[in-house]
Every structure is written in C-alpha cells, then in structure tokens.
C-alpha cells in the first residue's frame, strides 16, 4: 500500500470499474454507462462522486439494496412528460435513459420532463444536465437522497443534500454547468475529509443540540442516527437567509418525489424499522428545454457567453485574481486529469485493493 | 403626517393604487392587475415589493422608462413555448399574460414556458408561480433586474437580485410557495431598512473594497455607481459556498435573457452611456407543469403535504418553537393583514401624500 496519493491512468481506472460492475452481474453496456458517469465525476475533480464510491455501489449490489440488472419501466407517458420506475436497478443507467427521454420529447415539443421512482444513487447530477447541453438544450436534473440537511430552526437531518444541476451551451469551449448540493457542503465532501483525515469547518454541520460539529467519522456515523445534520446553503437560522437553502432542498424533494408518488425524507434511508437493509427508493426529476424552440441556438450561445465573459471580467476583490463561472474549474480539471491520471488517496487504495481481491480481478497491477 | 406607522384598509389602498395608475394613463383593467400584484406583496407581509414601490412606478411612467399602455406582442410560438416582447409596458400586465400562456400550454401538452423581453419591474415573483398553483400546476417564475449582486471573488454589482419563485399545490389550505432573491437580502429590503432608518447586518452587503457595508442610504445611492454590491446567498468567497448563490443568480440571468435574445447585466441599468434615462429592458421566464400529466393531482398534493408536515414536525433547535415551510408565514400574514389593514410607515405616508396631491386624488382621506 502506498503511503501517498498515486495517479492512475484514466483508461485503466475506467476498465477496472467496468470489470468490477460486470463481475457483480451488471450487463456489459450498463457497466460501461455506470463507469462512464462515475469517471465523469473524477475527471471533473469531484472526488466525492466517482471511484471513491465504488465500494458503496459494490456493497449495495452485494447486499441487495440495488440490482445489477436494470428493469426500466415507463409507467406513464405523454407528449412532454413521463414517469419511470427504475425497480432499484443501476441509478446511472436509469438516469441516462430518463434524461434521453426528456431530450427526445423536448426535440419534438420544445420541453420534456421525466420523473423517476425506485432508483438508486446515480452519481453526479451534472452528468445528466450536460447530456442536454450536448444536444443543444438547457438541461436540469434533480435528485433526492438520504436524509442529511436540517430544516431552518431544526436539528434533525430530514432532507437529502438534494442537488440542483443546470447546464446551458455557450459560444465557448466550456459549457455553463452548475451542479451543487442545496446544503453548504455535501455528504461526499465529509467522506473526502474522512478519507484524507481532515476536520471540517465550523458552520457546515451541527450536532443534535445545534452546536457546530467538525469530526468526519463521528458525523458520517451519526447522520443516519439523526445525531448530526448538514446545514442548508445560507447556514443556521434566518440571519443569512439559510431558509432559502432549506427551501431549495424542499423544492428538489417535491420535484423528485411528488411527481412520481414516491418515497421521501426518511423513506429514503435504506433500512426498515427493524434495521433490515432495503432499497433506497430514490426519486429523480429530469428536464430538457430545446433552445431552438425559443431563439436560434447560436444567438443563445452568444448571449450566454457574453453574460459569462462580463462576469469574469468584472472587478476582482482584493487578493483575488480570477472570477469563475459555473463549470470552468471542472472543465480545466478534466483537461489536466485526462493527462495526469486520477488521484487515488491511500484509504481509497485500500478499498480498491479489497474489491480487486474479492472479485479476483488479478489482471490489474496498481502501483499500490 | 403621522409620526408612526398607520394601518390602511386593504380595499382603500387597492382602489387608491388603481386610481393612481389610471390617472397615469394605464387602462382600467391593466391598472386593476397592476394594483392586484402590488397588493399581493403587501398582503403577504413583503413590504419591499408592494405599495412601497408605488412612487417608483409613478416616476418611471412619468419619465418615460415604462409605458402605461402595454403592447403585448407574441414574437414566436410553439406548442409548449413562446417568446413575448413587452415593449416596455406594465411588467405586471406582461407577467400575468405570459404566465397564463405557459399555463394554457401546460394544460394541453404537460409543460409550458414563456420567455419575455423588454419588460419592466413586475412586482413579486411569487405571484406568477401562484397562478400556476391555482391551476393545479407547479409554477416557476424568474426575472433579471438591475445589477446588484457581486460574483464570488468580485466586488462589482453585476447580477440583479434575480429571484426564483416556485409554487406547488398541497392538501393543506396553504400552498408551498418559495419566492426569494438569490442574494442574501434583496434590494427592496435595503429600501425598507432605509424607510425605517435602520442599519443593515454585517455580511449582507460589501463596498468596492470588499468590506462590509451597513448604511442603507449610502448603499442605495452607491449600488448604481458600482460602489456597493449585495452578496450572493452563501456569502463572500467559497468557505460557505457563496458561489452557489452567485451561480443561481447567473442561471436566472441566463433563463431571463438568453432565451429571448435580450438585454442583461449592465444592459438593465435604466440609463445609457450619457446618463439619459432609458427603459430597463427586463427579461422574465415563466414555466408551468401540469401535475395531472404525471400523477393524479390529489396524490401529488398528499405526498407534498406529507413532506411539509414531516419537516415541520421534526426536532426543533434549542430556543426555536416552530419550523416553517415555504409560504406559511406569508399565508398567515395575509389572513392577519386582510383584517388589520396594510401598515404604512411615516416615510411611505409622505410618498403617498405627494402622489395623491400631484394627481389630484382628493377623494381619499388618509389618517396622515
């Protein structure tokens, strides 16, 4: 085991993930999609939602919380809308097919939206918004998740980190892509701090009394018991408008659950009253709008590019050298990481080794 | 002039506003709509966007920045989409007709969206989302506005307070209704603090060096010159994810401007390079989704009601007695204010008196 972070070539890690999922019973093409979505996260430098969670998917498939073979059922369909039941299959496979449906509907009618029930963790939210962008559309993607965020004036983790993803094409190489939890930090960031053995900042997480909590292992163990909660964007109370983050998380919960008659809040915890594991029953909501139905796509791209350039060129704060727009940092990360390889921290090396041994994938010779 | 806040009956104030707009040349029915939208804000207890801004509309109509007679032009239309040019008419009239188009399209196809160019300040964003809710739909409404918010790592007011409104029906009397600026506080709140002669809290607004600014008159005068800026939800820098508020404001700018080839950022400032007044050229974006195309409306209402009830019933922080969900406070305000009347602070009394005298509306006998 290396004592330090090592860089693994993208192709190697991609093939390894495909082989892991295939060995777990995921059909070849679905394994490819799942690995592709996870890799998209690592490539963008979002270590919380990529290969770092391979162990999580591995465990969930093994313990039956999600099924390796995805049964994708369209429960109801109209010109611009659909409801899909994922039957606890692979979230990435369900997500990609659902967003494709929304895109196809938007191509025909201008707009398309698909609500999904009984899904599982689908990786980074931004992947799906980006699918629409690549089709010349505005894409939005929402998902609920295990209870983590406390409501304003509350201390129970009630809402998932409930991310919002929004993508739009521009006249630049890099599209506008927002992909963020409605909490200040997301659960995956706690996991990254845990793997790196760093403590959190005060004001991100509270304990059951509402006091600041900073210890990742305690928080990761205690979130499920309701002993800790993430704070919504804007923080505790109303002084800095933390209720806006809380309300945005609630909006994502409504979009993800109510439009498909699905599970929500503590219904997504992954175990029943007797503490037996059960599927997570996540809900997603995907939306696409075909820009060409409003204005010529090229006009939209230029206007959006102009907005972003004016923002970036505006006056910097003392000590700041650069103003970013959404997606820029991740786009630059991807260029760099494709060349350098994916960084694997020591604790993650251990996880990957264990998976490799358990599945007998001896053809891989990692430098750890 | 009363030295204290006085309460004016709702009907009186409503009729007064209608008469003011009619006297300014707004057609009777349009004056009724405009007054209705402004009143909706006061009734919900949002003093920043109601009668407190009558003086603003009065000045803008008089100085030609907006036209009393609204020419509503549908520039382009498809099954689920439309682009509207408001030709600098009354924002409330343009907004209401546009949202109604989105609702009608959603009724037929499941979804509807209307992008608007060349509009003017349309009052509270939530009014339009609520129109969809009353039609059994999810409603969303977005608008850009005069430059106010600084980008993360920047100090120039670049983006408007760019609000997001989202409404959904529930099985309770009170619908879910989120309506909030993507800044921590909005410009109207600075105006309210100014009228009430109170100072702001540190961390809401920055000066051109990035230091906290708290003096409302200086800020209101200096925002247009770029000397002050509102901070995005999440605050300055990245530590508490202020970039998420900044990105959300950018999303609202893209939705409001790019889908209709319109003005944006400093194009919305209301004067030209020679400091001559010009129309604000605001853009809006309205969206409606007909719930019945996904699931039976009653099922949606029950699921959403259950989510909200579970949130409200969750564990309270020490010293907190109640957890709210979006729209509850405002709903309760409306019940109270309908009985008690609309509170008019001394500085606003002065404004209303001046308008009354200038327009010769002598039939009103206000207690100030």
């Amino acid at each position: 085991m290396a004592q330090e972070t090592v860089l693994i070539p993208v192709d190697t890690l991609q093939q390894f993930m495909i082989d892991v999922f295939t060995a777990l019973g995921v059909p070849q093409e679905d394994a490819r999609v799942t690995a592709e979505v996870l890799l998209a996260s690592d490539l963008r430098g979002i270590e919380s939602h990529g290969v770092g969670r391979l162990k999580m998917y591995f465990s969930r498939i093994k313990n039956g919380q999600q099924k390796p073979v995805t049964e994708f059922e369209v429960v109801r369909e109209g010109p611009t809308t659909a409801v899909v039941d994922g039957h606890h299959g692979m979230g990435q496979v369900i997500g990609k097919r659902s967003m494709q449906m929304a895109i196809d509907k938007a191509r025909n009618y201008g707009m398309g939206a698909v609500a999904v029930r009984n899904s599982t963790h689908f990786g980074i939210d931004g992947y799906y918004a980006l699918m629409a962008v690549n089709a010349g559309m505005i894409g939005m993607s929402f998902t609920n998740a295990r209870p983590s965020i406390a409501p304003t004036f509350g201390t129970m983790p009630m809402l998932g980190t409930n991310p919002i993803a929004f993508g739009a094409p521009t006249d630049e190489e890099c599209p506008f892509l927002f992909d963020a939890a409605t909490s200040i930090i997301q659960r995956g960031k706690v996991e990254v701090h845990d793997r790196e053995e760093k403590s959190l900042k005060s004001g991100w997480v509270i304990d059951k009394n509402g006091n600041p909590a900073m210890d990742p292992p305690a928080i990761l163990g205690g979130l499920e018991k309701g002993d800790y909660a993430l704070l919504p964007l804007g923080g505790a109370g109303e002084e800095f408008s933390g209720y806006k983050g809380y309300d945005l998380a609630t909006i994502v919960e409504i979009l993800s659950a109510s439009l498909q008659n699905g599970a929500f809040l503590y219904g997504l915890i992954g175990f029943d009253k007797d503490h037996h594991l059960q599927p997570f029953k996540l809900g997603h909501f995907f939306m696409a709008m075909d820009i060409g139905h409003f204005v010529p796509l090229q006009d939209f791209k230029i206007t959006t590019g102009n907005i972003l350039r004016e923002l970036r060129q505006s006056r910097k704060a003392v000590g700041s050298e650069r103003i970013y727009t959404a997606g820029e940092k991740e786009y630059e990360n991807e260029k760099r990481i494709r060349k350098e390889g994916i960084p694997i921290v020591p604790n993650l090396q251990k996880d990957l080794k264990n998976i490799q041994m358990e599945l007998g994938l001896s053809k891989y010779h990692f430098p750890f």
Side-chain angles (χ1 to χ4, degrees), chain A residues 23-339:
Chain A
L24 289 165
V26 179
Q28 182 69 25
E29 174 56 20
D30 290 0
R32 200 194 57 70
V33 168
T34 308
E36 178 183 294
V37 178
L38 292 183
L39 199 71
S41 183
D42 287 305
L43 284 172
R44 297 175 69 78
I46 305 166
E47 293 167 34
S48 54
H49 283 62
V51 66
R53 282 197 167 155
L54 193 61
K55 181 185 167 187
M56 179 186 91
Y57 294 104
F58 177 86
S59 316
R60 289 181 182 180
I61 293 171
K62 294 208 53 148
N63 68 29
Q65 283 178 298
Q66 74 179 77
K67 294 180 189 160
V69 180
T70 302
E71 185 196 338
F72 184 91
E73 184 194 1
V74 179
V75 178
R76 189 166 171 205
E77 193 168 7
T80 67
T81 59
V83 177
V84 162
D85 193 323
H87 295 287
H88 320 298
M90 299 299 289
Q92 290 82 352
V93 175
I94 299 163
K96 191 168 181 178
R97 283 189 64 177
S98 299
M99 184 44 124
Q100 192 56 54
M101 284 183 77
I103 290 169
D104 294 343
K105 288 172 182 299
R107 187 71 75 210
N108 288 328
Y109 291 95
M111 303 185 75
V114 177
V116 179
R117 75 169 64 120
N118 293 326
S119 188
T120 57
H121 197 284
F122 70 5
I124 44 165
D125 202 18
Y127 180 90
Y128 309 98
L130 201 52
M131 284 174 63
V133 172
N134 292 334
M137 300 187 183
I138 285 176
M140 294 188 227
S141 172
F142 309 86
T143 184
N144 57 20
R146 284 181 293 172
S148 302
I149 302 181
T152 301
F153 301 134
T155 63
M156 282 279 284
M158 293 298 291
L159 293 148
T161 45
N162 291 11
I164 297 172
F166 175 100
T170 78
D171 58 355
E172 301 177 336
E173 210 185 333
C174 165
F176 180 88
L177 183 58
F178 175 69
D179 177 3
T182 43
S183 44
I184 300 173
I185 60 158
Q186 90 286 33
R187 199 181 182 112
K189 189 154 178 174
V190 184
E191 292 168 14
V192 169
H193 276 71
D194 184 43
R195 281 198 292 275
E196 295 176 353
E197 298 172 8
K198 288 181 187 166
S199 83
L200 304 181
K201 291 197 175 158
S202 174
W204 288 353
V205 180
I206 49 171
D207 67 17
K208 64 200 294 185
N209 299 314
N211 297 319
M214 284 163 279
D215 183 38
I219 292 163
L220 287 172
L223 271 170
E224 284 189 4
K225 295 181 209 132
D227 292 343
Y228 296 91
L230 305 183
L231 283 170
L233 181 62
E238 293 188 325
E239 191 169 341
F240 290 94
S241 296
Y243 61 91
K244 296 185 186 179
Y246 154 51
D247 291 343
L248 288 169
T250 308
I251 289 171
V252 175
E253 194 78 21
I254 292 171
L255 287 173
S256 302
S258 301
L259 286 166
Q260 44 89 355
N261 263 339
F264 53 84
L265 304 179
Y266 272 79
L268 310 171
I269 203 154
F271 48 84
D272 65 17
K273 281 176 185 173
D274 304 320
H275 287 270
H276 295 129
L277 295 178
Q278 66 176 19
F280 285 91
K281 304 178 193 163
L282 300 190
H284 315 308
F285 187 68
F286 301 100
M287 200 191 298
M289 297 197 285
D290 191 17
I291 292 161
H293 280 74
F294 293 91
V295 288
L297 178 57
Q298 193 55 28
D299 291 359
F300 177 96
K301 287 181 171 181
I302 292 169
T303 307
T304 304
N306 285 336
I307 292 171
L308 303 181
R309 283 183 288 275
E310 288 193 19
L311 288 170
R312 295 194 295 250
Q313 287 157 9
S314 70
R315 190 176 61 216
K316 317 290 176 288
V318 176
S320 295
E321 285 178 6
R322 183 171 168 186
I323 289 171
Y324 294 87
T325 52
E328 268 195 297
K329 277 189 186 175
E330 295 77 11
Y331 190 81
E332 291 173 12
N333 283 339
E334 179 156 353
K335 282 191 175 173
R336 180 177 49 78
I337 292 171
R338 278 205 185 274
K339 276 187 219 146

